[in-house]
Structures are given as C-alpha cells and as structure tokens.
Amino acid sequence: MGTQLFTSESVTEGHPDKMADLISDSILDAIISKDPYGRVAVETLVSTGLVVVAGEVSADCYVDIPRIVRQTVRDVGYTRAKYGFDADTCAVITSLDEQSADIAMGVKVSLGQEGGQQLDSEGKTIGAGDQGMMFGYASNETAEFMPLPILLSSKLAKRLADVRKAKLIDYLYPDGKTQVTVQYEDGKPTRISTVVVSAQHKPEIEYADIEQNIIEQVIKAVVPSEMLDKQTRYLINPTGRFVIGGPQADSGLTGRKIISDTYGGMARHGGGAFSGKDPTKVDRSASYAARYVAKNIVAAGLADKCEIQLAYAIGVANPVSIYVDTFGTGKVSDSKIVHIINEHFDLRPGSIIKELNLRRPIYKKTACYGHFGRLDSDFNWESIDKAKILRRSVK
C-alpha cells in the first residue's frame, strides 16, 4: 500500500453547526426524559441573534423549548454580545407539528394491530421509521477501535473547549475547529503529518501567544509524543486572526457535521443525521447498531477493519440487506461474517432500542466530539460484550 496521508476534522461545541446539533439533542433529551416513547425529529438553525427550531414532535408531555435553547447556548459559552451571540437576548422561534400519521403508521405496522406505547415495550415488534442505509465501522488501529485521524481530531476539539472553560487559556471564545493528517505506511498509522487548529479568541491577543499556547496546552496534551516529529506541521489559526465566530460568522444547521460525528471520512456514510432524532429513527439507532456489530467483529479478531451496511424499508422490522466489507483483512470470509451477524445480532429497530437501552436521555452528550470511540457508560454501542461469543462461533 505504500505511504498514504489521510485527514479528518472535528469542531467544538461553539461551532454554529454543533450548536445546532446540541440544541436539537437537548430538546430530545428533555422530551424523552418525560416520555420515553415520544417521537421526536427536531432540527435547529442558528444565525446572528437567532435560533429557529423546527420539526415534528409527538409526545405526552410539555417541555419549555425556548428555555432549553437558552440554557444550552449559555452552557456552550455564548453569554455576551461581544462573543457574537447572547443566550439571554437571542430570538427563539419554534415551528413544530405532530409526526406525520403516515410515518407513525410505518413504525406501528409491524405490530399487526393499532397500538400504543405498551405494544412496543418488549422492543421486538416495531417497524423501521424510514427507509435508508446506515453504516458502521471499526478498526484495530487504536484502542478505541476508531480511525486515528478522527479520534485525535475529536479529542483536540474537546481539549480546546476544556482549556477555555477551565481558563487555562483564558482568552478563547467558544468557536473552534481541529484537523489532523495522519501518515500511514502499508495501512498502519506511523506519524502525524499536520495538525490544524482554528480557535476563536479575544481581539487583543498576539498571534505568537495563541500559537504557543495552542501547541503546548492543546496539541501536545492530546497527541501522543511518539507520533510527532520535527517534520510535523502545526497550523494554528492559519489566516492569523479568528475573532468573529459562532453564529455571527456563519449560520449553523443540525446535521451538517455527520462525517465528524462518525468516522471522519474513513468509512462510508448513509447520509442521515443523528441529532434531534429519537431511536425509532433508524438513521440514529441502526447506525449505533452497525457500529456495535463492527466493533465486536474487530474486537473478536475476525478482521482488522470492518464496515457494515444495514438497509431498511419503512414499516419493515428486519433489515432488507446486510453488507460486510473487511477490506481484505478478514480471518474468515465476508459472507461468513454476514452469517455470524444474522446468528448473533437482532437488528430489528425495537430490538436495537432494547439491546442498547436507547429510550433514555443520553443524547445531548453525543452531540459533540463524536458519537463513537468514547468511553462513556451510557454509550452501550461501544460495548464489546459479544466479542468472545463471536470468536467461539468461528472456532
């Protein structure tokens, strides 16, 4: 394979697109905490001084959406007009309707009868909430079974937010972006070629101070030292200045950072966003399940890399197809792995919801810094509890 360079990027919670994701998932959490069976599909638009929340909600509860929006923006750090956005003075507009009866029927149709919440409590009979394809991926190149470029990009973005909030770098504002280029030799990561960090800051700060602080407090605190060398390039605020940021500099929209949310471009993506969607939406739940399957296959040693595609039809519980690609690294054939998946994983939406315990308010924490590769006890799709079973099934 020779020498290859691969790049992935991530963004902080103050980036306008991520603010939109975070608001959408905060609303979802508020609803699902009161009504675990609530149906939610909410999208958010942020712009200068404005937040627009639109979508469909069907739930047996009330939540104060403007209050949730303002608290979320406040937690991010946009609390003063000089930051370009203010949680207390921004306008909040909502445009919400009930879930389409046609879509709701698609979820219920597999029940074979008119049903309410109690009928899907067993978690094995609801249909997919939409058609589409979802991908999951895992690689043994890191302990987290994630591609190194997106793993480091996400950790750098999180660190950038952490040093701001802890005032280790007290002149930073909430917006920021990170990007990491990894050099691979014959498919194995060997060094970091380039690190890019763009960090919003107070106008009076000298560039040299920003560059030094970001390299020492952010990059070197995250990137393993053995992966850095004298040839590694550090590009800090490449234009030389990043004062105007957040929604003042660029509008933000839910679902515009789906590659940063997943595998940084190393694996394919079905196109459906995650944030703001309850788990009956297979865009979210089946993507989590595909990651769960792929990670267990790699953890079991059946392949060094594994990509899973699941496809669904609205109202149909079982996937219409399961596709596996191990990129030539499989210890058994890809078709054999498909057989193993069918034997050990129930990929009907209701079963996914039950297996991964998805009817909980856990989604706000997924909105930023990646949905995968994070060691959090609520991220059940990161468990490798089936790896031993898969190994035994091959033997």
Side-chain angles (χ1 to χ4, degrees):
M1 298 174 66
T3 301
Q4 296 174 307
L5 298 177
F6 194 90
T7 302
S8 296
E9 72 151 2
S10 186
V11 298
T12 68
E13 61 211 61
H15 185 280
D17 290 332
K18 269 295 145 215
M19 278 181 63
D21 286 340
L22 193 58
I23 291 168
S24 294
D25 273 336
S26 296
I27 293 169
L28 170 62
D29 272 0
I31 293 171
I32 210 168
S33 67
K34 295 183 176 182
D35 180 5
Y37 293 89
R39 304 277 174 79
V40 183
V42 170
E43 297 188 5
T44 303
L45 165 71
V46 298
S47 188
T48 305
L50 175 65
V51 178
V52 180
V53 178
E56 296 78 43
V57 175
S58 297
D60 292 330
C61 65
Y62 168 78
V63 297
D64 187 343
I65 289 179
R67 185 190 63 79
I68 294 168
V69 169
R70 295 187 191 282
Q71 186 59 53
T72 303
V73 174
R74 190 175 295 112
D75 291 343
V76 168
Y78 285 112
T79 56
R80 301 180 67 182
K82 70 178 183 178
Y83 298 161
F85 204 84
D86 182 2
D88 295 314
T89 62
C90 67
V92 179
I93 299 173
T94 61
S95 177
L96 297 173
D97 204 346
E98 287 189 304
Q99 184 183 56
S100 161
D102 295 342
I103 296 175
M105 181 176 63
V107 177
K108 293 177 182 178
V109 71
S110 286
L111 295 172
Q113 56 184 302
E114 289 300 318
Q117 296 167 0
Q118 75 281 3
L119 292 177
D120 65 2
S121 63
E122 290 300 315
K124 292 188 177 181
T125 50
I126 64 175
D130 201 355
Q131 70 177 46
M133 64 283 190
M134 301 83 209
F135 287 90
Y137 179 81
S139 167
N140 64 7
E141 68 183 72
T142 63
E144 295 86 348
F145 296 93
M146 287 289 287
L148 185 60
I150 186 60
L151 185 69
L152 290 179
S153 294
S154 297
K155 288 184 176 182
L156 286 170
K158 178 68 164 57
R159 176 67 179 175
L160 193 59
D162 288 345
V163 298
R164 169 178 62 86
K165 293 178 179 180
K167 300 189 182 302
L168 295 176
I169 305 180
D170 60 4
Y171 53 77
L172 293 180
Y173 287 168
D175 199 356
K177 300 179 76 172
T178 60
Q179 183 173 288
V180 176
T181 301
V182 175
Q183 181 172 314
Y184 286 80
E185 299 290 345
D186 296 325
K188 303 294 183 182
T190 57
R191 60 180 293 270
I192 305 302
S193 172
T194 305
V195 180
V196 183
V197 178
S198 296
Q200 188 187 13
H201 59 87
K202 293 180 180 179
E204 65 271 18
I205 307 302
E206 295 291 333
Y207 175 79
D209 293 333
I210 298 171
E211 182 180 45
Q212 179 182 358
N213 292 158
I214 294 296
I215 290 175
E216 295 299 326
Q217 296 282 350
V218 178
I219 297 175
K220 291 187 177 179
V222 169
V223 181
S225 58
E226 64 271 17
M227 298 294 288
L228 302 172
D229 56 35
K230 293 181 179 179
Q231 284 71 48
T232 299
R233 292 195 303 165
Y234 304 105
L235 301 178
I236 313 302
N237 286 0
T239 67
R241 178 181 169 89
F242 185 9
V243 173
I244 301 173
Q248 183 183 23
D250 192 10
S251 61
L253 188 65
T254 299
R256 238 174 15 193
K257 286 292 178 284
I258 57 176
I259 298 303
S260 298
D261 286 340
T262 53
Y263 309 102
M266 186 70 79
R268 285 171 281 196
H269 197 294
F274 300 162
S275 291
K277 296 177 181 177
D278 74 82
T280 67
K281 279 71 174 175
V282 283
D283 279 339
R284 182 166 221 157
S285 54
S287 294
Y288 291 174
R291 162 65 176 174
Y292 177 54
V293 173
K295 186 174 182 180
N296 275 273
I297 287 170
V298 174
L302 305 188
D304 296 334
K305 301 178 183 179
C306 183
E307 183 182 74
I308 306 290
Q309 186 205 56
L310 305 176
Y312 292 85
I314 187 168
V316 179
N318 284 302
V320 298
S321 68
I322 300 174
Y323 171 83
V324 170
D325 189 351
T326 58
F327 309 95
T329 69
K331 307 305 185 285
V332 296
S333 69
D334 292 352
S335 59
K336 173 65 174 175
I337 292 176
V338 171
H339 175 77
I340 292 170
I341 292 171
N342 280 315
E343 184 178 356
H344 294 285
F345 295 91
D346 188 342
L347 295 171
R348 291 176 292 178
S351 297
I352 293 170
I353 291 169
K354 184 178 182 182
E355 175 80 16
L356 301 181
N357 196 11
L358 298 181
R359 294 197 188 277
R360 298 174 293 147
I362 59 172
Y363 298 106
K364 181 179 178 179
K365 67 173 70 175
T366 70
C368 302
Y369 314 116
H371 293 245
F372 308 124
R374 292 165 58 184
L375 301 178
D376 188 299
S377 59
D378 286 329
F379 289 34
N380 290 352
W381 51 91
E382 291 298 311
S383 170
I384 53 173
D385 57 338
K386 292 196 176 184
K388 290 182 179 179
I389 297 172
L390 300 184
R391 273 195 298 271
R392 286 199 298 266
S393 70
V394 172
K395 290 180 180 179

